[in-house]
Amino acid sequence: MKYETVIGLEVHIELATESKIFCSCSAKFGGEQNDHVCPACAGMPGMLPIVNKRVVDLGMTAGMMLNCHINRTTTFDKKSYYYPDLPNAYQTTQWFAPVAVNGTVEIETSKGKKNVRIKQIHMEEDAGKLVHDDWTNTTLVDFNRTSVPLIEIVSQPDLSSAEEVVAYLERLRSLLRFAKVSDCRMEQGSMRCDVNLSVRPEGSDKLGIRTEMKNMNSISAITRAIEYEVARHIDAIENGTEELVQETRRWDDVKGKSYAMRNKETAGDYRYFPDPNVMPVVIDDEWYDGIKATLPEFPEVKRARYIDQLGLGEYDADQLVESRAFCDCFEEAYAVCGNAKEVANYLISDCMNLLNKKQMTVDMLTLEGKSLGELINLVTEGKVSRPNAKKILAVMFENDINPAEYAEKEGFIVSNDTGKIEKVIAEAIASDPKAVADFKGGKEKALMALFGKCMKELKGNCDPQTLREMLIDAVNKQ
Amino acid sequence: MYITKNGVKTDKAIVLDDMILTKDMPTTAGSRMLEGYNSLFNATVVDKLTDAGYEIAGKANVGEFAIDVMGETSHFGAVKDDEGNLSLGSAEILKKEKVKAAIQLDVNGAPRRASAVSRLVFVKPTYGTVSRYGTVPVACSGETVGVMAKSANDCLEVLEVISGYDAKDGTSLPADMIEEAGEIKRVAVVTAFDGSIDDGVKADIDAFVKTLEAKGVAVEKIDGAGLLASKTAWNILMSAELCNNVSRYDGVKYGYRTSDYTTIDELYTNSRTEAFGDLLKTAILYGSETLSDENYMKVYDKALRVRRVTVDYFDSLFENYDAVLMPATSKKAYGEADVKDMAYEENLYTAPASITGLPAVVAEGVQLVGKVFSEKALLELVKLCKEGE
């Protein structure tokens, strides 16, 4: 018999906010244990939650990027359960009126394009982390991650293979990074995924028994886990190897197997109810339109525009739309210098090299597009040589400098003073009569020694073509 | 003049009930769970008072998490008045010491009942006008910080100090949303409670009606049966919120921790079993049930509807009247034995104002509930009634 797989995903994404969702503690990843903690996120009595407006901004942005309806009145609810990393013994989340509902995400796989429906996106707080110390056989709690804002994106069960799941996750990642909702880094846990999966005979309209795998945090592990689970389900149905039950399972990527979690951890009545301390958030037209106006073009729209209107090659366009930071810088620089190819070259080769050298990701690019455009203008106007432009770029990468002022100050401006160039040439010729003789004797290469000497003396601030011509003139006159 | 522990002579001494968090004094909420607990911060009301030159004289005993009749469930024992009847710590201090006022968290009406039996004045202002930042959370959708004092004047003075918008409380109302209600000229007297109150309370109500009439206030009897559903609805909402709010006391981070555990579940269970009293445990179980998947729509959601209906009912009364007069208690005094199992019954009279967030003033042994932002008008009415006495 042929089977089909039915998969729905719950994707948790940490939002790129400075502070936590209900208090002013830092929401940054890492830090010394329990450094980013205050009485509110440590669950002490008397603190009241104040909604971080930025979280709602990003929740709405995510909703709009995924074509959702935005609930103009959105509310927060409490979800109760006991766990030591949850200091209040409840998580504040959205149950009754999530910020966004009914969206769609288009994915593309080897089988073509497909729409995946989004059930809802809700905002909530993250839990802390437990740290197990085997040496003393104790468990300690780190509350740094407690109340870090998350959105959870719940899809409908529209996915049917690991390939589709991967395409869906990549698409979410691309859209949300583009909209600066999150850096979506699975390895740091800022994007995590619960996979709900069942298997049924092809063509059947009845769903099979569903299992859930929680907190998957790498694309390759998700692929392996789905393939394993599908095989396990089919085996159980065909050969009766085990009885399938609706349960939560843990994926062990090292062993390549999934395990049933203890029943206790899975059974739960979360006793949701509206949080009386958080007033309903009402999104008025001004707020809604303001967020709408900040939405970026979708990556594929940008890509097409870069190719069709700005004349970039496909490779360059693909490289740029990998990252919103690159696109922003590219567009700002292009607005200043009007030379798309040139800007793309600086970003894709020089800036990428600099980022790699500093072990930074593309999203960490802070280069001012305007300055890059100005630098390119200096080059195309012949005021700064290409090698010197690279030196200036390296400085611009770390400091907010005006390239023209900096070039002036550091003596990087190409000299138009022919008197000075002639003087330097005369000195070079005088210091190396052998090279002059060799060149005159037909050794073309001999000129390079003289050329190099002059360029060095001029600190590179000379148009190479001009220098070359003047040098040949001078040597021939000897 | 009151002389504080530090030897400061003051006529602006304030006592705080033990639901109000203070940095330099423990806050126990009357529970073994928080015995010796020191908050890292002061409640907004505490800072407002000290900034205005008031001296905090100390903390007063409350029932465990302030949900009982009148302090009888405190881990540190009940407080009695000179006749041996139940009282609240704040009320006894006000009667015996030269303090100006007591600041209390009105969760389930205990301060109103204590004021009624002790002949003190208590104002529970409109929900959202006084910050709840730094109060031990129990039933956040209805509990309100109020002022108990010997006179309406003192209540007015202190209320003025502690009121006002607080950015640290998401339910705090900005000044531009507050429109003070006008003078109280028409009062409705509710008769629906007559069957459950004793003769002493009845006599207090009759006497207050006479005074009102003598002062030229129009008084009319109404049935007011629409207020009888508040009690059950409030018991549901309060227990549900309490169950959730006290879940944080798990023995892990602070507060009482059992010495008898090997697993995390035993740590939770034994800490809470040993540190919580019977009434609190009952409330937790009740609240947990009402929020369960099975009961949420049948029970909790219905209680939210009753809240809405009660607000509408009050609104309909306020079309014809400026305030509603009703009892605050069923009795003139409570013996300790009387109040057993009464916490979920005796709030029949206090639940209407708790569930709606409307302001209430208790004075002369009776309770007045007014429109939103009428707390000052209610206190002015009490002042008027006392004039020429």
Side-chain angles (χ1 to χ4, degrees):
Chain A
M1 195 187 285
K2 277 196 140 188
Y3 292 90
E4 64 183 10
T5 308
V6 179
I7 302 171
L9 293 189
E10 289 161 27
V11 180
H12 286 91
I13 287 166
E14 267 180 15
L15 299 177
T17 57
E18 290 296 317
S19 56
K20 293 187 175 181
I21 184 166
F22 297 122
C23 60
S24 54
C25 287
S26 165
K28 289 275 160 282
F29 177 76
E32 283 291 302
Q33 275 149 11
N34 290 312
D35 241 16
H36 305 161
V37 180
C38 74
C41 53
M44 292 182 174
M47 297 297 289
L48 296 168
I50 302 295
V51 179
N52 180 346
K53 183 172 171 289
R54 194 72 199 120
V55 172
V56 185
D57 286 349
L58 295 179
M60 283 162 69
T61 306
M64 291 174 183
M65 289 302 282
L66 307 188
N67 302 309
C68 291
H69 168 75
I70 304 297
N71 276 326
R72 294 299 194 94
T73 299
T74 181
T75 56
F76 285 90
D77 308 292
K78 291 179 169 195
K79 172 183 180 179
S80 298
Y81 64 92
Y82 285 93
Y83 207 65
D85 67 5
L86 190 69
N88 275 318
Y90 60 80
Q91 178 194 30
T92 305
T93 178
Q94 297 197 289
W95 182 251
F96 294 105
V99 65
V101 293
N102 300 338
T104 50
V105 173
E106 192 185 70
I107 59 166
E108 192 168 2
T109 64
S110 56
K111 287 183 181 160
K113 287 186 175 174
K114 174 175 183 175
N115 271 330
V116 178
R117 291 168 301 154
I118 302 295
K119 182 168 176 267
Q120 67 175 57
I121 302 176
H122 56 261
M123 307 178 279
E124 61 187 20
E125 55 181 343
D126 209 343
K129 267 184 191 159
L130 294 184
V131 184
H132 304 279
D133 182 355
D134 288 337
W135 185 255
T136 55
N137 195 25
T138 50
T139 301
L140 301 163
V141 199
D142 178 4
F143 288 137
N144 279 354
R145 206 180 63 182
T146 307
S147 283
V148 165
L150 296 176
I151 50 171
E152 182 176 333
I153 302 170
V154 185
S155 83
Q156 298 285 4
D158 289 352
L159 298 152
S160 57
S161 66
E163 190 197 0
E164 285 187 3
V165 167
V166 171
Y168 171 76
L169 289 172
E170 296 281 13
R171 181 69 178 155
L172 282 189
R173 188 166 164 272
S174 164
L175 289 176
L176 297 178
R177 274 160 49 108
F178 235 72
K180 297 181 180 173
V181 168
S182 168
D183 58 5
C184 296
R185 297 177 73 175
M186 284 194 127
E187 71 280 11
Q188 284 189 359
S190 65
M191 184 172 184
R192 311 190 286 269
C193 175
D194 301 347
V195 179
N196 289 293
L197 179 149
S198 65
V199 165
R200 65 182 173 191
E202 204 173 61
S204 162
D205 54 2
K206 225 180 112 213
L207 287 169
I209 294 187
R210 172 169 56 92
T211 57
E212 180 179 19
M213 282 177 293
K214 278 195 177 295
N215 281 329
M216 308 289 299
N217 57 5
S218 97
I219 295 267
S220 56
I222 289 168
T223 305
R224 285 189 288 271
I226 289 172
E227 282 162 2
Y228 174 87
E229 273 297 285
V230 170
R232 189 180 71 86
H233 281 238
I234 293 175
D235 214 24
I237 296 165
E238 295 230 310
N239 306 323
T241 44
E242 60 181 309
E243 195 191 339
L244 289 176
V245 287
Q246 185 172 329
E247 62 184 352
T248 300
R249 296 178 72 86
R250 185 175 59 82
W251 173 250
D252 185 329
D253 203 40
V254 177
K255 296 206 174 86
K257 280 180 145 184
S258 73
Y259 296 92
M261 283 166 80
R262 280 189 301 135
N263 215 14
K264 213 169 181 178
E265 290 173 41
T266 64
D269 182 342
Y270 291 120
R271 306 197 304 276
Y272 290 97
F273 75 105
D275 188 339
N277 283 323
V278 187
M279 293 287 101
V281 178
V282 178
I283 299 163
D284 59 19
D285 286 351
E286 196 190 339
W287 191 359
Y288 181 90
D289 294 341
I291 295 296
K292 193 104 202 169
T294 66
L295 294 186
E297 274 172 305
F298 274 26
E300 63 273 18
V301 177
K302 266 194 200 301
R303 182 182 179 277
R305 185 163 61 85
Y306 290 176
I307 295 170
D308 299 343
Q309 294 177 24
L310 306 184
L312 287 188
E314 289 198 355
Y315 173 82
D316 285 355
D318 282 341
Q319 293 291 306
L320 290 176
V321 300
E322 265 296 293
S323 148
R324 171 78 183 277
F326 264 34
C327 289
D328 286 352
C329 188
F330 170 77
E331 287 173 22
E332 283 165 31
Y334 174 74
V336 172
C337 72
N339 189 337
K341 180 67 193 157
E342 197 73 2
V343 181
N345 285 344
Y346 272 101
L347 280 169
I348 294 164
S349 62
D350 300 299
C351 291
M352 197 65 104
N353 280 341
L354 288 165
L355 285 167
N356 287 341
K357 227 182 258 174
K358 293 179 199 307
Q359 297 187 316
M360 287 158 70
T361 65
V362 282
D363 286 329
M364 291 155 91
L365 181 80
T366 55
L367 183 67
E368 288 282 338
K370 185 169 161 279
S371 304
L372 178 60
E374 287 168 0
L375 180 66
I376 291 170
N377 279 341
L378 291 174
V379 175
T380 47
E381 288 161 12
K383 287 184 180 155
V384 169
S385 68
R386 281 186 184 275
N388 280 342
K390 289 192 185 197
K391 288 183 199 156
I392 296 171
L393 182 68
V395 178
M396 277 165 53
F397 213 72
E398 297 198 332
N399 304 295
D400 185 16
I401 52 162
N402 177 317
E405 280 172 19
Y406 182 80
E408 188 80 47
K409 199 177 94 201
E410 297 295 316
F412 284 145
I413 295 291
V414 168
S415 174
N416 293 320
D417 182 352
T418 45
K420 188 180 174 191
I421 300 172
E422 279 166 3
K423 191 168 157 257
V424 168
I425 289 174
E427 282 168 9
I429 289 173
S431 71
D432 197 350
K434 188 175 177 295
V436 178
D438 285 352
F439 179 72
K440 284 187 147 180
K443 278 190 180 174
E444 286 270 334
K445 271 187 182 170
L447 190 71
M448 285 316 290
L450 294 168
F451 181 88
K453 219 173 238 175
C454 293
M455 205 44 128
K456 194 177 171 198
E457 197 57 39
L458 289 163
K459 292 185 181 161
N461 294 319
C462 183
D463 175 45
Q465 199 51 39
T466 311
L467 177 63
R468 197 181 148 79
E469 285 164 11
M470 285 174 73
L471 186 61
I472 292 171
D473 264 9
V475 171
N476 286 336
K477 280 181 193 159
Q478 287 290 311
Chain B
M1 293 290 247
Y2 180 84
I3 302 169
T4 68
K5 247 188 342 204
N6 305 330
V8 181
K9 271 191 184 174
T10 178
D11 57 2
K12 293 169 104 179
I14 300 288
V15 62
L16 305 171
D17 85 9
D18 219 4
M19 299 294 285
I20 314 284
L21 291 155
T22 42
K23 216 157 55 172
D24 54 0
M25 282 178 258
T27 304
T28 68
S31 181
R32 185 181 190 191
M33 184 54 91
L34 287 177
E35 188 166 3
Y37 176 75
N38 264 302
S39 173
L40 294 172
F41 58 96
N42 277 334
T44 295
V45 288
V46 174
D47 286 339
K48 280 190 171 232
L49 285 163
T50 47
D51 288 351
Y54 289 81
E55 291 283 339
I56 306 301
K59 307 289 278 284
N61 193 26
V62 289
E64 190 171 24
F65 289 95
I67 58 166
D68 63 2
V69 177
M70 209 184 286
E72 72 277 8
T73 62
S74 169
H75 172 62
F76 309 98
V79 172
K80 308 272 175 62
D81 66 13
D82 291 344
E83 280 80 49
N85 291 317
L86 269 184
S87 185
L88 262 189
S90 293
E92 288 311 296
I93 293 166
L94 271 171
K95 285 192 276 185
K96 288 175 181 146
E97 305 282 347
K98 292 188 170 114
V99 299
K100 172 90 102 205
I103 307 297
Q104 290 165 294
L105 186 68
D106 187 335
V107 179
N108 191 29
R112 275 178 274 166
R113 285 185 286 276
S115 305
V117 300
S118 297
R119 293 276 155 172
L120 293 162
V121 184
F122 179 78
V123 55
K124 180 188 97 72
T126 308
Y127 184 82
T129 57
V130 176
S131 170
R132 287 183 297 112
Y133 176 85
T135 61
V136 176
V138 182
C140 300
S141 72
E143 64 201 15
T144 311
V145 176
V147 184
M148 185 190 269
K150 280 165 263 198
S151 70
N153 242 352
D154 286 351
C155 280
L156 276 167
E157 176 191 321
V158 174
L159 184 62
E160 189 66 36
V161 176
I162 63 171
S163 298
Y165 175 71
D166 181 8
K168 289 184 282 191
D169 175 356
T171 63
S172 177
L173 296 172
D176 61 10
M177 282 182 71
I178 296 174
E179 200 180 319
E180 281 186 24
E183 195 187 337
I184 288 163
K185 292 173 177 158
R186 303 160 301 170
V187 172
V189 188
V190 177
T191 58
F193 298 118
D194 285 358
S196 64
I197 56 175
D198 71 12
D199 290 344
V201 177
K202 237 176 239 161
D204 281 342
I205 290 184
D206 290 343
F208 198 78
V209 167
K210 280 213 175 86
T211 314
L212 287 175
E213 284 169 342
K215 300 287 179 183
V217 177
V219 182
E220 232 173 276
K221 281 198 173 173
I222 60 159
D223 172 41
L227 302 175
L228 294 173
S230 297
K231 179 191 78 175
T232 307
W234 177 243
N235 283 339
I236 291 164
L237 299 180
M238 175 178 72
S239 307
E241 291 178 35
L242 170 141
C243 164
N244 170 270
N245 269 322
V246 302
S247 296
R248 75 189 74 205
Y249 310 116
D250 54 8
V252 174
K253 307 165 291 275
Y254 52 78
Y256 181 84
R257 178 184 285 194
T258 182
S259 54
D260 172 25
Y261 69 96
T262 48
T263 66
I264 184 73
D265 288 338
E266 282 173 17
L267 169 64
Y268 290 152
T269 308
N270 295 350
S271 297
R272 291 163 66 84
T273 302
E274 291 163 27
F276 286 154
D278 288 346
L279 176 64
L280 198 73
K281 284 175 188 161
T282 311
I284 291 168
L285 291 174
Y286 185 52
S288 169
E289 268 306 290
T290 61
L291 287 177
S292 71
D293 234 5
E294 199 196 332
N295 291 327
Y296 182 87
M297 288 311 286
K298 279 194 286 192
V299 182
Y300 188 83
D301 191 67
K302 283 235 172 71
L304 288 178
R305 285 162 201 268
V306 172
R307 163 175 273 161
R308 173 49 50 199
V309 167
T310 309
V311 169
D312 292 345
Y313 181 73
F314 267 116
D315 280 347
S316 72
L317 294 181
F318 292 142
E319 281 172 18
N320 298 314
Y321 310 99
D322 302 316
V324 178
L325 178 65
M326 61 176 98
T329 60
S330 65
K331 296 165 180 297
K332 286 276 278 184
Y334 301 95
E336 201 172 354
D338 297 340
V339 295
K340 196 166 162 27
D341 302 329
M342 243 173 89
Y344 275 45
E345 293 296 331
E346 192 62 8
N347 56 3
L348 176 67
Y349 318 100
T350 52
S354 297
I355 202 169
T356 55
L358 290 172
V361 164
V362 171
E364 306 296 305
V366 302
Q367 175 175 226
L368 288 156
V369 179
K371 306 173 192 177
V372 284
F373 313 129
S374 71
E375 47 272 37
K376 285 183 193 163
L378 294 171
L379 287 167
E380 290 296 342
L381 181 67
V382 171
K383 264 171 74 180
L384 178 76
C385 289
K386 296 286 278 181
E387 265 169 28
E389 222 179 57

